[in-house]
Amino acid sequence: MRPNQIPVGFARHYRSPRFRLRNAMKRRVLLATAGMMPFAAFAAEWDKQPEIRQTDAVVAADIRSGPHFALGPTVTTLAYLNRYAVNTDYGPFIAPSDVRLRRLIREIAAIAQLQAMQQTEAFEKAAVEAGKSPFRSAKNLIDDPVGTLSAIPEGIGSFFNRASEQLHREGRSRYEDGPAKQILAVSGYKREYAAKLGVDAYSSNEALQKELDRLAWASAAGNLTLGALSFVTGALVLQVASNVRLLEQAQNLVAATPPSELSKRNREQLRRMAVPDPVIDRFLRNTSLSPRHETIIVASMAALGAIPGRSRFIEYATGADTEDSALLFQQIAELMASYSTVVSPVRGISVEFNLPIVTTTKGLNVVLLPIDRLLWTARNAEIARGLAGTRPAVSELWITGDASPKAAAGLKDAGLALTQYCGKQLPLLD
């Protein structure tokens, strides 16, 4: 996400003709200040009001620096998210949110381990073998997969058991390997290494992908085995597992299953939820949603049981158009599933002001948001009053981060009970 870009899940609705028509009579004041405002102007409002704080006032001491990385001196809050500059041994990075910072720290540790593995005798032998193998012409396979496949001896057919499916699959997300790597089983090895190291195989971190590729090619072409390598998993910090068993199973499934098979499984699950096929197609073909995003969202909806609104949420998630908005939708779904399990059963999902609302069996309407910092702007004040004025009214707002003192007071005045740092009670899969 660009620094000046509002998460699509929070802003997109304000330019919706349907929103303006449906709410013209009910929320005239809100429309006057928000609904008619061009999106660029809406986004620009936050640019004028960034909050800059010292890093040591925001981030715990144990993650401000570590082996191979150090955070910059300040943190900038824009559009609900904290933005971090991170200096590393592998170059500078920008972490555009708390969750992306946690992921990046794990990825830096993984890069260090992957590079250390390449100094081992096992890797060196595998690299030599790879140079002798039928895969030495892999570049040709990437350039011309169909033509090159016909020239490869049948003796290595086990690597190509999904060739046709991978070459013709539609809707591959931007995070996935190309068909050639998937056919060569490179992607399978990458998923194994990533799972062992506690990182996302579909990460957009190019430095991480480069190192995963090297190990995976050595495994696919040079018979390098996981057992020949040493993994220091204790060095990987900030790993958080959900207490919702279905989500843990989804994470394991992502690590073990090719994207095409995940897509098939997710489609079947969504059909069992009575999600219309056109919505399923838009969801599964959205290139911003990785197979991991999709699988965890689907598992979260399944964990909620047969409640109204699941199809509406899947349609809502098709609006993801960046990696950060995809992660936003994933974590909203997780929060819903966790809240239903840990706090109070959810009996339905609706969407107001383009914010998903869960209704509990106790009759409470609750908004659950994976955001880092809530500031009190004119826009947020209008949204808060609008949520409190819905029928039935939203009574609670849960956020994974914190609110400024002014925002907390404003929410209280609007009649919204605020729960901060809800991720401690409802853990998320970063």
Side-chain angles (χ1 to χ4, degrees), residues 28 41 52 70 184 204 334-335 339 354 366 376 388 421-422 424:
R28 189 179 303 274
I52 300 175
L184 282 172
S204 61
E334 290 181 66
L335 287 173
Y339 184 95
N354 208 39
V366 183
W376 199 241
Y421 303 111
C422 71
K424 295 178 181 178

Side-chain angles (χ1 to χ4, degrees), residues 53-61 64 72-73 75:
R53 293 172 289 168
Q54 294 298 306
T55 299
D56 58 8
V58 179
V59 181
R64 288 178 213 152
V75 178

Side-chain angles (χ1 to χ4, degrees), residues 122-123 125-131 133 135 159 216-225:
F123 178 84
K125 288 181 178 179
V128 172
E129 290 300 314
S133 78
F135 297 119
F159 286 105
W217 278 112
S219 297
N223 298 315
L224 180 66
T225 64

Side-chain angles (χ1 to χ4, degrees), residues 35-50:
M36 300 295 186
M37 183 179 288
F39 179 65
F42 179 57
E45 178 168 313
W46 271 275
D47 285 348
K48 297 173 184 176
Q49 303 180 58

